[in-house]
Amino acid sequence: MKKTAIIIIVIMILSMASSGKVLRRTLGIFPSNVPETETLAPETMEFVYNYSWCNDTTSQLEDNYTTDQMLLQTGPNGMSKFSSYKNLTVDSLLMNITPEQVAQAAMDGKLSNGEFMTIFKNYPQGKITHTEKICMDWFRYEEDMPEFEWELTDSVANVLGYECHSATCNFRGREWTAFYTEDIPMMEGPWKLHGLPGLIMKASDKDGYYNFECIGIKSKADRPITIYKVPYNTTSRVKYYDAKHRYDVNPYAYYEAGGHGHIDVYDEDGSPMLDAYDPIELPFDYIERDCIK
């Protein structure tokens, strides 16, 4: 398979205004084409979720939440896929424009990616497969389907006209509250969440740092469940989080260590930022808190 060509790299640095302390660095890399895909199964239904997570739990940034729309596709034998709806839109755009148009589309903000996290349940059977792109690298790990020790509670909510009942559990360092509807009798939900007697329509951790809410349902869906055919780094959940953490605290150094070249970073006055390669302290915790100490 040919390597994906890089058209443009966008660098963003977010600092606390009063001290100049860097709280987040991002590295946007826009490809010129879409990786090939392999069809795993037909889908039976699909559900769109709003996903938001807090990228600054210290509240030092004014815009401290990231949002994306995620698509939950369900298929036969309990298989499902949870992935970014935005990335599907970007993929569709890339497949219908010329390489010459890609750079302009990137400059116009039309190629802004969503979450690269993709969660497959029961692929293979009884397992969760997590795939994700970190910088230029694709990672993939499998784990047994986790068991959630849900405790049913008395709260009730209405989501998309469905009466939903609540349940709570502790999972990998977070206390979750979920609302599920028995009117959609499938033990499914967003991300890795599952195991209740109905579809999880809404879920959040106790602090409100990670939130999922269903905003759309398509009962007669015909979009296939697919997976990218890319050279994955097959790893473990712990080693995946280690790579993710190394990238988040120092994205330019991660890019350079991968053999992709050196990135020169300048401030608004055009002067080199000599501390651009210094690691930063992340102002948030990952959705699973048990892997990074």
Side-chain angles (χ1 to χ4, degrees):
M1 181 177 175
K2 293 182 179 179
K3 285 189 175 180
T4 301
I6 303 304
I7 296 300
I8 191 170
I9 296 175
V10 176
I11 296 171
M12 182 179 295
I13 299 174
L14 297 178
S15 304
M16 184 177 173
S18 59
S19 66
K21 178 182 178 182
V22 175
L23 296 179
R24 191 164 78 248
R25 297 187 179 109
T26 62
L27 185 60
I29 303 173
F30 300 99
S32 63
N33 56 16
V34 180
E36 295 180 12
T37 59
E38 175 186 354
T39 297
L40 302 179
E43 72 172 7
T44 53
M45 295 182 70
E46 63 182 33
F47 308 88
V48 180
Y49 287 81
N50 267 342
Y51 169 44
S52 68
W53 63 275
C54 184
N55 54 53
D56 172 26
T57 59
T58 65
S59 299
Q60 296 176 84
L61 294 174
E62 182 176 345
D63 182 14
N64 62 345
Y65 275 82
T66 299
T67 61
D68 196 7
Q69 286 191 357
M70 307 293 287
L71 182 68
L72 174 64
Q73 300 172 268
T74 61
N77 301 316
M79 181 187 289
S80 69
K81 176 184 178 181
F82 187 70
S83 60
S84 171
Y85 207 175
K86 182 185 290 185
N87 287 350
L88 287 174
T89 303
V90 171
D91 285 356
S92 178
L93 176 62
L94 284 172
M95 287 188 290
N96 290 283
I97 61 176
T98 65
E100 292 75 19
Q101 295 172 315
V102 172
Q104 187 59 51
M107 296 300 294
D108 292 341
K110 296 179 180 179
L111 299 185
S112 177
N113 291 113
E115 289 293 310
F116 277 110
M117 168 191 69
T118 300
I119 304 294
F120 297 88
K121 296 192 189 86
N122 284 309
Y123 174 70
Q125 192 66 31
K127 301 282 188 178
I128 277 181
T129 295
H130 179 156
T131 69
E132 187 163 340
K133 186 181 183 184
I134 300 175
C135 193
M136 300 287 291
D137 304 320
W138 287 93
F139 289 85
R140 172 176 175 162
Y141 70 84
E142 291 181 6
E143 62 172 317
D144 292 336
M145 288 280 285
E147 294 184 6
F148 290 83
E149 298 180 357
W150 293 107
E151 179 180 345
L152 304 186
T153 54
D154 296 330
S155 297
V156 177
N158 187 290
V159 182
L160 288 180
Y162 290 90
E163 183 180 81
C164 299
H165 298 273
S166 62
T168 62
C169 76
N170 288 296
F171 181 65
R172 294 176 179 171
R174 293 191 183 277
E175 182 178 331
W176 288 91
T177 297
F179 288 86
Y180 65 95
T181 176
E182 295 183 10
D183 293 333
I184 305 177
M186 57 176 64
M187 300 174 72
E188 257 293 357
W191 184 56
K192 296 181 180 180
L193 303 176
H194 70 283
L196 285 166
L199 179 73
I200 297 173
M201 300 285 285
K202 182 179 179 180
S204 62
D205 74 311
K206 181 181 67 173
D207 299 310
Y209 292 156
Y210 289 86
N211 306 277
F212 304 94
E213 183 168 355
C214 187
I215 59 171
I217 298 174
K218 188 175 182 181
S219 58
K220 294 182 178 180
D222 57 5
R223 194 194 315 264
I225 296 176
T226 62
I227 187 171
Y228 285 136
K229 294 173 64 176
V230 294
Y232 290 107
N233 294 292
T234 301
T235 187
S236 66
R237 188 171 68 94
V238 170
K239 290 181 179 179
Y240 150 77
Y241 271 109
D242 176 69
K244 185 176 181 67
H245 186 258
R246 284 188 286 109
Y247 172 76
D248 286 339
V249 301
N250 207 336
Y252 315 138
Y254 184 101
Y255 180 86
E256 184 175 64
H260 307 299
H262 181 82
I263 295 175
D264 294 317
V265 185
Y266 301 91
D267 62 20
E268 294 180 351
D269 298 324
S271 300
M273 297 185 67
L274 302 179
D275 61 350
Y277 279 71
D278 293 344
I280 62 173
E281 182 178 349
L282 298 184
F284 63 88
D285 290 324
Y286 294 118
I287 191 169
E288 296 175 296
R289 303 176 69 185
D290 61 330
C291 285
I292 301 296
K293 304 301 182 183

